[in-house]
Amino acid sequence: MKKVLIVTYYWPPAGGPGVQRWLNFVKYLPDNDIQPVLYVPENPHYPITDPSLNDEVSEQLIIYRQPIWEPYQLASLFSKRTTRKISSGIVPANNPSLLDRLFLWIRGNFFIPDARKYWVKPSVKFLTEIIKNEKIEAVITTGPPHSLHLIGKSLKEKAGVRWIADFRDPWTGIGYHKALRLTKKSQKKHQALEKEVLNSADEILVTSDTTKREFKEITSRPITTITNGYDQTTPTTSELDKKFTISHIGSLLSERNPTVLWKVLAELVEEVSGFSETLSIQLTGVVSDEIVEEINKCGLRDYLKVRDYLPHREAILAQRRSQLLLLVEIDTEQTRGIIPGKLFEYMAAKRPILAIGPENWEAGKLVRESRSGEVFTYNMKTDLKETLLRWYRAYKSNSLAMTSQDIEQYSRKALTEKLAAQI
């Protein structure tokens, strides 16, 4: 059985989407004659935790841990709330405070490529011996944080091992990159490191075809798209919410604010008999204050329920209970290739997906192809209103349903088989 070292920052008890991809790959790799060996930080700073995910880690899995020093621990002495927001990816879009601006500037210009950069050197020294002792044949690094790719690059140079760089998100092309208030010098350094990594890895994995096209302009190295997915072993339920629930599960960034939706819902409350008695907007996870303020400004305060992060199994059940599932992306050209990991779990939930994002959004294309819901841009108010009214009438007649098609290719088992072929 081939042994592969996987270097990841996010691992149980980390919660959120960053942990799911490799937690599931590791689960199914042994079925493909590959033995994973994990390397994770001993004392990480996770903005979201989900201890229940520890139950999904095999007792036979070999895991190595080393301490990590992160500046977030120091920054939290000044403002725990701001530190948690920024480390979660919540960047204030409107009127950021002086402290917000300062933290973003420091984060973007002092810690390149990211705040986990200080884990690189000690990890390389430690892992060089592990590769020898465990007879490792390949190393996989997954980012963000993209500093982990620098570990892979050094291990390839020092140990002569095959190196695969997995990008769960783009690097300089990510939506929030510009919000980091980078100087020209810092921006050039990010781009140089990105180019260095992309041209050094033996194989590159990405989660969208858009990112693949963007990376092809930087490197001639082989690139394979392996999306995120859903796990067939997660629980199911057939009991739907009694209310007309519109649910979003996961972090909602300040710029990921579908104001067109809140305006349409406010109009339906006023115009459609019975709509106000049944509407429920449920946002679960870290939600920007600006989004809550916008919803309240539209007169929807009484219909809004904001809940803290749910353990993953409970989040899956919440998806399957909801009448509608909301999928939102920032309205920019840079975010066209972002495919939220929750999309595939939404598909598996077989509830109508209400997707709002940029023109030519790759996630929107998947929604259409799988017939999982309807897709709108931020300026399609009339179409959005007509669809919501149609779905509401179907809900009232107990006929609101959506059966996703051809989604088996996105099961974690199928995706792990595709991964194994690249190793």
Side-chain angles (χ1 to χ4, degrees):
M1 187 177 280
K2 184 186 290 186
K3 270 190 180 181
V4 175
L5 176 67
I6 296 163
V7 181
T8 180
Y9 178 82
Y10 294 102
W11 190 252
V19 70
Q20 289 297 323
R21 182 171 173 84
W22 284 94
L23 176 62
N24 282 281
F25 279 152
V26 165
K27 186 190 301 183
Y28 294 114
L29 274 173
D31 296 340
N32 294 273
D33 205 33
I34 294 173
Q35 181 182 345
V37 176
L38 264 287
Y39 176 66
V40 299
E42 186 177 281
N43 55 327
H45 175 86
Y46 294 143
I48 301 171
T49 58
D50 184 352
S52 70
L53 293 178
N54 285 313
D55 297 337
E56 298 187 32
V57 180
S58 168
E59 292 182 1
Q60 281 73 49
L61 181 63
I62 300 171
I63 304 179
Y64 289 95
R65 304 176 193 269
Q66 277 282 91
I68 184 172
W69 181 82
E70 302 178 77
Y72 288 130
Q73 295 161 347
L74 180 62
S76 64
L77 296 175
F78 296 94
S79 174
K80 289 185 178 180
R81 187 168 183 271
T82 297
T83 302
R84 182 171 181 263
K85 284 195 301 182
I86 292 175
S87 63
S88 303
I90 301 293
V91 179
N94 301 317
N95 302 315
S97 69
L98 179 61
L99 193 59
D100 286 335
R101 294 197 300 270
L102 177 62
F103 274 30
L104 285 169
W105 187 83
I106 292 173
R107 154 68 180 89
N109 295 285
F110 278 70
F111 305 107
I112 300 175
D114 51 62
R116 282 84 187 199
K117 60 181 286 188
Y118 300 102
W119 202 44
V120 176
K121 284 187 178 179
S123 295
V124 172
K125 183 178 180 182
F126 177 75
L127 291 175
T128 301
E129 289 301 311
I130 297 301
I131 287 171
K132 276 188 203 170
N133 297 338
E134 292 284 356
K135 296 182 171 57
I136 299 293
E137 296 180 52
V139 172
I140 302 175
T141 55
T142 179
H146 296 305
S147 54
L148 271 63
H149 296 313
L150 304 181
I151 296 175
K153 179 177 177 294
S154 293
L155 289 175
K156 178 186 176 181
E157 293 167 354
K158 292 196 169 189
V161 69
R162 174 174 162 77
W163 168 41
I164 300 170
D166 174 59
F167 287 82
R168 301 190 314 279
D169 284 323
W171 189 327
T172 60
I174 193 76
Y176 61 75
H177 194 71
K178 290 181 180 178
L180 295 176
R181 300 174 179 269
L182 301 173
T183 64
K184 287 185 179 179
K185 182 179 179 182
S186 296
Q187 178 64 22
K188 285 181 180 178
K189 191 169 182 181
H190 273 285
Q191 291 169 339
L193 283 173
E194 178 183 45
K195 186 175 181 180
E196 202 174 306
V197 165
L198 290 175
N199 284 285
S200 300
D202 294 291
E203 177 84 29
I204 299 161
L205 305 179
V206 294
T207 57
S208 77
D209 288 335
T210 303
T211 303
K212 181 177 180 177
R213 286 192 295 271
E214 291 171 356
F215 280 179
K216 276 192 168 183
E217 295 179 4
I218 304 174
T219 182
S220 59
R221 297 285 187 175
I223 306 173
T224 302
T225 301
I226 302 181
T227 67
N228 289 306
Y230 69 93
D231 193 1
Q232 302 97 315
T233 62
T234 50
T236 62
T237 180
S238 57
E239 183 183 349
L240 288 172
D241 292 333
K242 302 299 182 188
K243 293 247 182 183
F244 186 58
T245 46
I246 301 174
S247 300
H248 181 278
I249 298 180
S251 297
L252 265 181
L253 309 176
S254 303
E255 293 179 344
R256 196 181 289 156
N257 185 5
T259 54
V260 62
L261 174 61
W262 315 137
K263 290 175 181 177
V264 164
L265 291 174
E267 289 179 10
L268 292 174
V269 165
E270 291 294 323
E271 299 168 4
V272 179
S273 175
F275 194 84
S276 62
E277 282 79 38
T278 56
L279 175 64
S280 176
I281 304 167
Q282 297 188 1
L283 308 180
T284 301
V286 181
V287 180
S288 163
D289 293 341
E290 291 156 296
I291 291 178
V292 174
E293 288 168 10
E294 184 71 28
I295 292 172
N296 292 341
K297 192 168 31 171
C298 288
L300 299 171
R301 181 191 301 270
D302 293 341
Y303 311 102
L304 174 64
K305 183 176 182 181
V306 179
R307 299 187 293 183
D308 288 335
Y309 175 86
L310 285 176
H312 187 244
R313 290 175 68 85
E314 291 181 34
I316 295 295
L317 290 173
Q319 291 170 15
R320 295 172 190 264
R321 285 195 300 264
S322 185
Q323 296 290 343
L324 301 180
L325 294 169
L326 178 61
L327 189 76
V328 189
E329 192 45 79
I330 300 169
D331 188 22
T332 64
E333 187 175 344
Q334 290 82 8
T335 55
R336 289 177 179 175
I338 300 296
I339 305 176
K342 68 174 73 68
L343 169 59
F344 305 99
E345 293 176 346
Y346 277 14
M347 288 178 177
K350 298 188 176 177
R351 300 306 305 154
I353 297 173
L354 175 62
I356 302 174
E359 291 273 4
N360 302 315
W361 184 23
E362 191 169 340
K365 179 185 174 187
L366 295 180
V367 171
R368 292 189 188 99
E369 287 176 349
S370 62
R371 299 184 182 179
S372 300
E374 299 287 347
V375 185
F376 307 91
T377 61
Y378 280 72
N379 59 3
M380 294 174 66
K381 183 180 177 184
T382 301
D383 293 338
L384 175 58
K385 188 173 181 179
E386 289 174 356
T387 297
L388 276 171
L389 187 55
R390 174 165 50 86
W391 280 346
Y392 175 69
R393 287 169 178 161
Y395 153 78
K396 291 293 285 184
S397 63
N398 295 315
S399 60
L400 180 59
M402 193 70 66
T403 303
S404 302
Q405 299 182 359
D406 301 323
I407 65 169
E408 293 78 12
Q409 61 185 307
Y410 304 117
S411 72
R412 296 291 188 181
K413 271 193 172 184
L415 292 167
T416 307
E417 288 176 13
K418 188 175 180 180
L419 169 66
Q422 303 306 314
I423 298 174

